[in-house]
Amino acid sequence: MSSQHGQDAKFFQRGKIEEFRAELQAAESKDKKYQKRKTVLKKIVANITMGNDMSPLFHDVIQCIGTPLLEIKKMVYLYLVSYGRSKPDQIHMVIPSFLQDCNDRNPLIRALAIRTMAYIPIPVVTEALSDQLRHCLKDRDPYVRKTAAICVAKLYVADPRKAEKAGFVEMLRDMLLDSNATVVANAVAALSEIGDRQDGVIFRLNLTVANKLIASLGESSEWGQIYILDSLLRFVPEEHSEAEMMGERIIVQLQHANSAVVLTAIKVLLYLMNYMENRRLIEYICKKMGPPLVALLSSGPEVQYVTLRNILLIIQRRPAVLKNDVKVFFCKYNDPIYVKLAKLEIMYRLAREENAQEVLAELEEYASEVDIDFVRKSVRSIGRLAIKVEAAADNCIQSLLTLIETKVTYVVQEAVIVIKDIFRRYPGKYEGIIPTLCENLDVLDEPESKAAMIWILGQFANRIDNADELLDDLVYSFLDEPTEVQLALLTATVKLFIYKSTSDATKALVHKVLKWATENVDNPDLRDRGFMYWRMLAVNPTLAQELVLAQKPAITTDSDRMDRGALDQLLLHTGTLGSIYHKNPETFIRNAAGRALVDTPALNPSSRAVILPLSRPHLPPTTVTVQGPGPIEPTYVPPAEPSKLVASATSEASGQDLLDVDNAIARPGSYDGEIDVDGEDEVPVKTGDPYANLDGAFGGYLADKPQPMSSSRGGNTNFDDLLL
Amino acid sequence: MNSRDFISVIRRVRSPVSVDHDFGKGTSKTTLGLVADTFARRFLSSIKKERQVFVPRFIEIVIHSGEQVLISRLYRTDFKRSIADVFRIQVISNSDVRSPIITLGSTSFFHVRVNNLYVVAVTKTNANAALVFEYCYRLISIAKSYFGKVDEEAVKNNFVLIYELIDEINDFGYPQNSETDTLKSYITTESIMSSAYAAEESSKITTQATGATSWRRGEVKYKKNEAFVDVVETVNLSMSAKGTILRADVDGHIQMRAYLSGTPECKFGLNDKLVIDKNERGASDAVELDDCRFHQCVRLNEFDATRTISFIPPDGEFELMRYRCTSNVKLPLRIIPTVNEIGTTQVSYTVSVKGSFGAKLSATNVVLKIPTPLNTTTVDCKVASGKAKYVPAENIVVWKIPRIQGGQECTFTATADLTSTTVRQVWARPPIDVDFQVLMFTASGLIVRFLKVFEKNNYHSIKWVRYLTKASGSYQIRVSLGCLIGF
């Protein structure tokens, strides 16, 4: 082994173009075994890596192309891949040498030549390559053929129309019948890329070819299996039996050691299940999917993370999967934070009456860890558990009270936020703990928790003896509070007044707040609400009472599941980036291809009922001013720029509109919340609720989910342009 | 069959966005390369030092050492080398990175850290995230197998070879054959003369690299045919302070070193039983495996049909299978901690460890890490076996026991003195962590029943089987909440 240790580190030094040129020229005369040339080229490659522009040496470097040493040839080719594109006027000088290599007896050299040529997408090279490629696609050596298949994809990216005209797409298609599995896999990969382009040909599979591809899985490399499995989504079953047979043949791939093979196989199975009729087979597949998913949790943390984010989707669509396995998602002390947060979500999803105690015990454990995010999410999960599993509510409340006793600020704030929802979920059951909450009033310094506490004070003002004093204190800083808190204060004082309309102090308080809200505040929402209350109280106090203290719709956890149709669509992207962010790729990646289930006679009635058409691509803007590079927070929205705030709000809204419109078609009237991507408890807001505008005050749960850092429409940040 | 009808060559109507040939805007896919190029010069000249990694299709790869790019291979024209700068700013300089994946606009960065190096993959597509990470892991393992270790020095010393390798194992972002054994037959550090690179020799290589057994070289010959099988099990335990087992499972893998001539056909048998449905469990001595995954050489169809593990092994070392077992896990070490608070200034510990396996076996390299409160000043430890030492920097007592015989019990007693603090420090109360190894023992109870080798030359082969059960960082006993909170 020691003989294999290179000694090239010394070449990592910034060098001057002139020196390298002189050294290369010196090497032309006396160069035993080409050692000198090799050394200079290594220096040049090191400098390219370090980001130093070596393009002025183009002419000198290509002189070495004829050197019969393979290592030198590869370095020259690497140089050409780096700078070839920028030298369209000189590149013709290397073409003869490329052509010679394309016809070398050695298949490795032939493949190397076409591979390199295809990396240089300028017309004179692609022209020369086209002729060679036609032969290479039919080369007797499979290694050359598999390289040629990828070259077609490269050519297609460089100039789609030309590649089509030259007939390469048809040749690729014929390669799907090649006798060598590696060639088939690469042809599939190339066709898939071409088929995913918005301006490309459409790539579909029929039953015969799909079956042939499945048959070649056994002989493919692990990567080849991924390309082939992925392409099976392009086959649309017309009959139940087609989907069922195919599913049965793919199940064995779940046993593969490569996590990408497993997740891609799961993707295909989930897709095919939409077209299956045989309930037993569906159940069997669900059972078979669980263990491999759990097994992936012993891979590296990165793969664990990918798996966990996918499990979160899969168990929403197929609750049978992993339903008894909540324990494997308990966090290990040394799990990376992203793994812990993802596990927490799944634990909550899998919690049921039978395992609620175990889950609660874990959550309590986590609530005393040090990572603030993790602790907060754990506390919140305890509250959500109380809302989800009625039988565990008592214990959850008890545990929240214990946590409040710790007086750790963020724990208390988080607890108050969830307790507010618990009050709404179980009216009349836990109000006895209000005094304990009131003791911690001073700790609350975040808008969300403050607003939650104020809501509690207002809602139960009739049970809290000193509610007027407490609110009076809070109102003191009214004008300095964020809108969220101001809105809550306004409503709470109105409620207080309705409960205790006889008290002069209350009257004065409500008058003060209404006056502030309508006269001293710029926020239109706040002002409008102030006027509304004021007029209502003035015109008809009885009606005001009915309205303000109207019965609230019950909170359930039904709304925290993602819409079925949206899930079906998202699961077509299992294992990909889209599945990490729980977003369809076309909504956050420019030019990404969306996927949708195709309606055929074989499609399940239940899947058909919720089918979503491909959503309109939501493309990022085309021209944007570029902000200088710098760390940008995921949820960063500069508050000082009102125009930008509005802009980002509209862009988000349009995304939701899309989904909402689709929902309305799919399940009229059954769903009026937004699609809750992260599965947090979203309070379903009905129009009759006086808090309808208070989204911000009671939502905000989505802030900490993983998400792409997107550019705002019309804003001044656009990463695409930044990175171009 | 009619091969014509499965792709319809229909040109789609181009959307208004992609017909945009306005170079200034630079958004059209077709013009991307050119646009990138115009700006490339300017950007290139402004780059200073940094180290980074490699990239595949969906991807560009970069190896970054934190300050300097060590390797950067761009497969697509939609990126420039300056992409590494963006990564440096977003991830390396960011002290609070909370995800291995970061997406900025349409561009996503995937990173894996290894010995202070970042292996980064960059893409503008909806890449298969699992594939990207598997590829990064593979890259690291290939590098390990070539250079022995993967660190800044090794990467720098072999950068030309690494470029060759990544060009071979990835084409245009599509991972290709990445079997080390095959790669080593044609990507080497020795200088090869193109002409000397015999065409026939190469044909053999290419056949192998694309063949159905791409992991095995053709003519392997050994004087002595041997196969070594190592069954290595890692026990994961999470036990509550009260002694309830919260979770106990085994991650096992079977490592094989095959030194067998020709093209041997192997059959491998275990005392396993794969559990599909937990409710279907019946009484049997067979070990219940929740799941197993195999090296790509194993014929999955055959396993599915007949439960036999049959394969043609790669030459040398490889991981034959991985499995998981959650039922009837035999915990090799039984730990009983008692932690008591004495007033507010002292904590007393009694921790006992017992080897619960046959008297002939022994656990070696046993290391217990016992957490102490953050305001601990000194710890007075008493042990009959091994050595115990307080490590203030980590707030733990490390108790090392070289060997525990089956049935033997060792006890640790200690008193920790605390400073009185007025400010409450947040203490995460880490669990007691136990590392150990037990040879010839499997926590799952798994046994290799047979390994048969069939080869056309019918040679005699010797097989060796070893078992090892170990824990490192995953065998944890929580410390009671009642006693220790509030220090």
Side-chain angles (χ1 to χ4, degrees), chain B residues 161-181:
Chain B
L161 183 64
I162 293 176
Y163 274 121
E164 264 187 61
L165 275 171
I166 56 177
D167 243 358
E168 190 56 44
I169 59 176
N170 193 315
D171 195 4
F172 208 40
Y174 294 98
Q176 303 290 308
N177 178 34
S178 53
E179 292 301 319
T180 323
D181 193 41

Side-chain angles (χ1 to χ4, degrees), chain A residues 271-287:
Chain A
Y271 163 72
L272 290 174
M273 275 151 83
N274 288 309
Y275 295 93
M276 290 181 188
E277 191 184 32
N278 184 342
R279 295 234 130 261
R280 294 179 92 170
L281 179 64
I282 295 180
E283 276 168 32
Y284 177 73
I285 295 177
C286 284
K287 266 177 207 160

Side-chain angles (χ1 to χ4, degrees), chain B residues 26 74 102 119 138 143 186 210 218 343 346 367 374 380 399 412:
Chain B
L74 310 180
I102 286 183
V119 178
R138 185 63 50 86
Y186 65 110
T210 59
Q346 279 192 325
V367 180
L374 302 180
D380 178 30
W399 177 24
F412 161 93

